Amino acid sequence: MFHQPRVVVRCNFARIIDPEADRYILDSIPVPVCQPVRANRTAICREDPTVHPSRGYHASHRLHYYGFKMQLVISRSGIPVHFGITAANVHDVNYLQWMNETQLTDCELIADKGYLSLGYQTSLFEESRIRLVTPLRANMKNRLSEWNAGYRYARKRIETLFSQLCDQLMLKRNYAKTLDGLFTRLCAKISAVAVLQYTNFLNNRNINRLKHALAV
C-alpha cells in the first residue's frame, strides 16, 4: 500500500535570501525511529494510518533501517524550500506527484537516479513548468540526457546540507514517540538551518557556514 506523505512548505527565507532562484535540488535521507530489531513490537509513530514507519534500505548509505524518508528541496545556494516525509519503503520517484504542492514553477529541479521517470518528468513540465534533470541509468544509453559534471557538482550542495543536519543538528537522533512529535522535530531542525543561513546573510557571511552564524 502506498502511503501519502506529510508535507510542509518553508519558502520565506529562500525568497528573502535568494529571490531570483530558479534552480532547485531534491533528495531524500533516512529518518530512523528505532532499531530495526524493534520494528515488529514498537508502536512509535504509528497513530496515523495514512503514513507510518516501515522497513527500508538506503542504497547510498548501505543502510537497512526502520522509519521514514525525509524528502528535501533546497535552492541551488542551499536554502531549504520544502520538505515532506514518507514511509521508508516508498520509492523516491513516487514523491514527485506531490511536487505541485511545493509552489515551485518555471524552474529546474536537479535530482538523482531515484527520481528518474519520463512520466513524472513530462507531467511536471506540463503542469508547473518544472524541468526535472536526472542522470540516466547504465542501460539507457540510447536516450539523450542533459546531465553533466555541472549537475553532479550542484548536487553536492544538498549532500553537504544532509551532513550538517546529521552531524550538527542530530537529524537521525529520534526521541519522538508520535508522528506529530517527529514531524515537529524535523520542522524545528529545518527551520534552524534557515534561520542560521539568514543570520549569515544579514552579516554578509557565507550562508552555508552554519557554525559561524552565531559567532561574534
Side-chain angles (χ1 to χ4, degrees), residues 12-13 23 27 49 109 119 146 171-172 176:
N12 293 338
F13 284 109
R23 300 182 73 193
D27 205 354
L109 184 64
E146 301 176 73
L171 179 75
K172 295 183 181 179

Side-chain angles (χ1 to χ4, degrees), residues 44-182:
I44 294 175
C45 300
R46 296 187 63 90
E47 71 275 13
D48 187 340
T50 63
V51 53
H52 54 72
S54 64
R55 297 179 186 271
Y57 178 73
H58 198 270
S60 61
H61 292 191
R62 298 181 180 179
L63 173 70
H64 290 276
Y65 69 101
Y66 178 77
F68 299 92
K69 287 181 184 178
M70 183 177 75
Q71 303 279 349
L72 180 65
V73 178
I74 66 172
S75 69
R76 176 65 179 82
S77 56
I79 308 160
V81 173
H82 158 92
F83 86 92
I85 58 172
T86 64
N89 62 356
V90 175
H91 195 282
D92 285 340
V93 72
N94 291 308
Y95 192 73
L96 293 175
Q97 65 186 287
W98 282 281
M99 284 305 299
N100 290 333
E101 297 185 24
T102 65
Q103 302 176 3
L104 298 180
T105 57
D106 295 301
C107 63
E108 184 176 76
L109 184 64
I110 304 168
D112 63 17
K113 294 178 184 178
Y115 300 90
L116 176 59
S117 167
L118 181 58
Y120 283 125
Q121 190 175 36
T122 302
S123 63
L124 283 173
F125 187 77
E126 291 178 347
E127 295 174 13
S128 303
R129 309 295 291 180
I130 296 175
R131 190 160 61 91
L132 178 65
V133 181
T134 67
L136 297 179
R137 298 189 180 91
N139 62 351
M140 302 175 70
K141 294 180 180 179
N142 59 326
R143 282 181 54 183
L144 296 177
S145 174
E146 301 176 73
W147 193 261
N148 55 40
Y151 287 111
R152 285 196 299 272
Y153 179 78
R155 280 204 72 255
K156 290 183 179 180
R157 179 64 260 157
I158 198 167
E159 293 169 0
T160 300
L161 181 56
F162 281 153
S163 295
Q164 291 173 313
L165 282 166
C166 292
D167 297 339
Q168 299 175 29
L169 296 172
M170 299 181 182
L171 179 75
K172 295 183 181 179
R173 183 174 293 183
N174 174 50
Y175 297 108
K177 302 304 179 184
T178 65
L179 187 58
D180 286 341
L182 175 66

